[in-house]
Amino acid sequence: MKGQLNLRAGLLLLFVQSAVAADLYVDANLSSSCQNYDDASRSCGSGNKQAYNSMSAGLAAASAGDVLLVRSGSFGQLSIPKSGTQQSPITIRNYGSETVTISTG
């Protein structure tokens, strides 16, 4: 049975181990991932933030304490490639008040 998980004001916490925390962006509108993302324009080239064009790429790059800020859009099922402890969660949340839809089946 297929379903959807909507992230609006909620949080999804994942637990992994690592040392450095960062804000990472997931934006399905990007043609490729980049290290110079500008969240105001939703484009690469003029910013200084790290962004990924898929949820799986963002999750693969995330480390303990990181926050994945997901821009509006629809995403397929999540595959969580990491695990860890409560002291070192990866947080996945929507960017601002944008709506994110994740298929659950």
Side-chain angles (χ1 to χ4, degrees), residues 38-54:
D38 176 29
D39 58 323
S41 66
R42 289 187 79 167
S43 64
C44 296
S46 62
N48 61 357
K49 298 171 182 167
Q50 192 169 347
Y52 299 91
N53 63 342
S54 71

Side-chain angles (χ1 to χ4, degrees), residues 5 19 22 71 81 104:
L5 170 67
R71 302 302 303 254
T104 58

Side-chain angles (χ1 to χ4, degrees), residues 31-69:
S31 59
S32 64
S33 300
C34 66
Q35 303 295 317
N36 54 1
Y37 181 72
D38 176 29
D39 58 323
S41 66
R42 289 187 79 167
S43 64
C44 296
S46 62
N48 61 357
K49 298 171 182 167
Q50 192 169 347
Y52 299 91
N53 63 342
S54 71
M55 190 74 76
S56 60
L59 284 167
S63 297
D66 287 350
V67 176
L68 285 179
L69 298 166

